[in-house]
Amino acid sequence: MDYSIIGKKIKELRQEVNITQGELAEGICTQALISRIEKGETDPNATALYQISKKLGVDVNYFFEIGTTPRLDYVKEVERQLRQLRKKHLYKEMIEMVKAEVHNPLFQQKENLQLLYWHKGIYLFEVERKSEEGLSLLRNALSLTSEGKKALSEREMEILLTIGGFYVGMEDYSEALNYYNQVRDAVMTSRQLNDKSIKTRLLYNVARALTRLGRYEESIDHCKEGIKWCIEEEHLYGFAQLHYHIGYNFELEGKIEQAISYIDTSILLFESLKNHEHTAFLTKKKEQLSLKLM
């Protein structure tokens, strides 16, 4: 999306309705941020863009129509931004975006409301530690689109993965595997996954649950299946984590040399991704394991 074009159009519309940058910014952001947006120096997030559009008296999709070719839907942009916040565990920023969209008419449709329920459920579980409320909201999210359907959508698969992750957090690994198995069945019957990472995350999460249950060999098998999938589909998401988790299983089995071998590979992969946090952790882990061989 070309946000510089959007910034210019915001300035034009603001001048047409004869309001200052400060007046446009009121209740949305700072005047300085509006100035930077109009100059094309920064990108407005989807929620801010929606609030700006309301003040300027235009439909938010107007900005997406002028800023993209082909047209990018506003809801898709919100979904993309929520995904990024979720991946980075920026839950407070995530819930602020959810709250801002609750009264947006675009999000009253079931599929779009489901997106908000899903992320609010994550916030309730991860931040407010309201496990049952979070789970209940995710189940409600699923029910919005499940009626009369035989196949799961990719978003529904992701919500089931989230529920499984909740049960792992509550140390109910058997229940987690029940939800993961639903996703596995859906993946196997799906003709094609647009988001290849769904299968990678499924295999990785199943492997983690199996490790917690002491089923190390099964966990390793799932990691190897995930690695094979990444190679076949030529995508790196989860590739480094899968290698490390195999090493972790070998460590738990007392097979230190094999553990170090996989940890070495995961260090190289995390270094290539410039993931310094994981690289530092694994380098220290390798040093600790190497001492056991002396």
Side-chain angles (χ1 to χ4, degrees), residues 85-96 119 122-123 126-127:
L85 294 172
R86 186 176 78 242
K87 284 182 177 179
K88 295 176 182 177
H89 299 167
L90 297 174
Y91 298 126
K92 291 186 178 179
E93 292 88 339
M94 186 180 78
I95 196 64
E96 288 304 313
H119 288 84
I122 292 172
Y123 180 83
E126 298 289 353
V127 179

Side-chain angles (χ1 to χ4, degrees), residues 87 195-198 200-201 204 226-243 265-266 268-275:
K87 284 182 177 179
D195 183 353
K196 308 298 183 183
S197 73
I198 289 176
T200 308
R201 283 181 282 139
Y204 177 63
I227 289 169
K228 182 181 177 183
W229 168 254
C230 289
I231 293 171
E232 288 175 349
E233 297 300 325
E234 299 180 345
H235 76 106
L236 289 176
Y237 182 88
F239 199 52
Q241 288 87 343
L242 289 163
H243 279 85
T265 302
S266 64
L268 290 172
L269 291 168
F270 278 121
E271 283 178 342
S272 69
L273 295 169
K274 302 188 185 304
N275 189 322

Side-chain angles (χ1 to χ4, degrees), residues 54-255:
K54 287 202 298 183
K55 277 202 175 183
L56 295 176
V58 296
D59 186 279
V60 68
N61 280 308
Y62 169 76
F63 292 117
F64 287 81
E65 288 166 354
I66 65 169
T68 61
T69 306
R71 177 179 176 272
L72 175 65
D73 187 80
Y74 175 76
V75 174
K76 292 295 182 184
E77 177 65 7
V78 171
E79 184 171 18
R80 185 191 68 80
Q81 292 186 19
L82 285 174
R83 177 185 296 274
Q84 293 302 313
L85 294 172
R86 186 176 78 242
K87 284 182 177 179
K88 295 176 182 177
H89 299 167
L90 297 174
Y91 298 126
K92 291 186 178 179
E93 292 88 339
M94 186 180 78
I95 196 64
E96 288 304 313
M97 180 169 282
V98 169
K99 288 177 179 178
E101 302 299 345
V102 166
H103 302 296
N104 182 343
L106 293 172
F107 283 88
Q108 302 313 305
Q109 299 173 17
K110 288 183 178 180
E111 291 80 3
N112 300 338
L113 186 60
Q114 181 183 66
L115 183 68
L116 302 185
Y117 280 6
W118 175 22
H119 288 84
K120 183 179 179 181
I122 292 172
Y123 180 83
L124 289 172
F125 187 91
E126 298 289 353
V127 179
E128 297 191 359
R129 302 300 179 188
K130 296 178 179 177
S131 304
E132 291 305 320
E133 285 187 42
L135 282 167
S136 177
L137 195 54
L138 290 193
R139 293 190 183 105
N140 286 341
L142 283 173
S143 70
L144 287 172
T145 57
S146 62
E147 186 177 349
K149 287 179 59 177
K150 292 183 179 180
L152 292 176
S153 68
E154 292 190 10
R155 183 190 291 166
E156 288 167 339
M157 294 181 203
E158 289 193 277
I159 294 172
L160 287 170
L161 285 175
T162 301
I163 295 175
F166 283 6
Y167 278 108
V168 168
M170 294 187 292
E171 300 184 355
D172 189 344
Y173 307 118
S174 295
E175 189 64 17
L177 288 172
N178 287 336
Y179 280 93
Y180 292 151
N181 285 336
Q182 291 181 51
V183 180
R184 178 180 280 276
D185 290 343
V187 168
M188 290 179 66
T189 57
S190 176
R191 292 183 178 180
Q192 182 178 356
L193 284 174
N194 292 313
D195 183 353
K196 308 298 183 183
S197 73
I198 289 176
K199 185 172 178 178
T200 308
R201 283 181 282 139
L202 168 65
L203 292 167
Y204 177 63
N205 287 330
V206 170
R208 292 180 65 210
L210 291 170
T211 297
R212 303 283 180 87
L213 291 168
R215 293 158 61 179
Y216 305 129
E217 291 301 319
E218 291 178 71
S219 177
I220 289 171
D221 287 342
H222 279 77
C223 288
K224 288 181 176 178
E225 184 182 347
I227 289 169
K228 182 181 177 183
W229 168 254
C230 289
I231 293 171
E232 288 175 349
E233 297 300 325
E234 299 180 345
H235 76 106
L236 289 176
Y237 182 88
F239 199 52
Q241 288 87 343
L242 289 163
H243 279 85
Y244 165 64
H245 200 70
I246 292 177
Y248 180 56
N249 278 297
F250 280 133
E251 177 190 352
L252 293 174
E253 289 184 310
K255 299 175 181 178

